[in-house]
Amino acid sequence: AMNRVQLLGRVGQDPVMRQVDGKNPVTIFSLATNEMWRTGDSETTQGGEIWQPTLLFLCNLGDISQKTTWHRISVFRPGLRDVTYQYVKKGARLYVEGKLDYGEYTDKNNVRRQATTIIA
């Protein structure tokens, strides 16, 4: 079995470092990826940006639609966690590789929620 995710996008906010209940600290940030397609076209171009020739091709043949997806990224490894916290900034273009993690938590209103996180 394999659980692997590769994302290329833009950082949504400066990373924050959290430590909960004496556990190891974690650096958390969000990453936006964009998916673009021409109206009526089944093929998409992913990765946050599209190549110039593709852009010209899409502009000449129809309306461009775009969908932005936000991903929650958590970094636990000590060296990478600290470098991410110190140097990654909002708006930076970033490649992230990690694994999917599904979890549950209870929000402030005592409602159970599900969360998907990329563990980098």
Side-chain angles (χ1 to χ4, degrees), residues 55-86:
L55 178 60
L56 293 174
F57 176 73
L58 289 173
C59 288
N60 290 335
L61 295 177
D63 294 331
I64 296 176
S65 295
Q66 176 177 317
K67 176 185 175 187
T68 300
T69 303
W70 288 94
H71 309 274
R72 178 184 169 97
I73 314 295
S74 295
V75 186
F76 289 94
R77 288 184 286 172
L80 186 58
R81 173 191 66 215
D82 299 335
V83 167
T84 300
Y85 178 71
Q86 186 172 1

Side-chain angles (χ1 to χ4, degrees), residues 27-109:
T27 296
I28 300 168
F29 64 96
S30 62
L31 189 76
T33 57
N34 292 324
E35 185 175 353
M36 302 177 85
W37 66 94
R38 190 183 68 224
T39 304
D41 191 1
S42 62
E43 289 189 33
T44 58
T45 303
Q46 300 180 8
E49 295 182 17
I50 56 180
W51 294 11
Q52 190 67 22
T54 306
L55 178 60
L56 293 174
F57 176 73
L58 289 173
C59 288
N60 290 335
L61 295 177
D63 294 331
I64 296 176
S65 295
Q66 176 177 317
K67 176 185 175 187
T68 300
T69 303
W70 288 94
H71 309 274
R72 178 184 169 97
I73 314 295
S74 295
V75 186
F76 289 94
R77 288 184 286 172
L80 186 58
R81 173 191 66 215
D82 299 335
V83 167
T84 300
Y85 178 71
Q86 186 172 1
Y87 294 107
V88 171
K89 300 296 177 200
K90 177 180 178 177
R93 189 169 186 213
L94 196 65
Y95 170 79
V96 173
E97 189 171 309
K99 67 178 183 174
L100 279 178
D101 182 63
Y102 300 100
E104 287 187 353
Y105 66 96
T106 303
D107 69 10
K108 297 174 187 174
N109 299 321

Side-chain angles (χ1 to χ4, degrees), residues 14-30:
D14 289 347
V16 295
M17 190 176 292
R18 294 195 179 140
Q19 186 168 3
V20 180
D21 300 330
K23 295 181 182 178
N24 289 333
V26 59
T27 296
I28 300 168
F29 64 96
S30 62

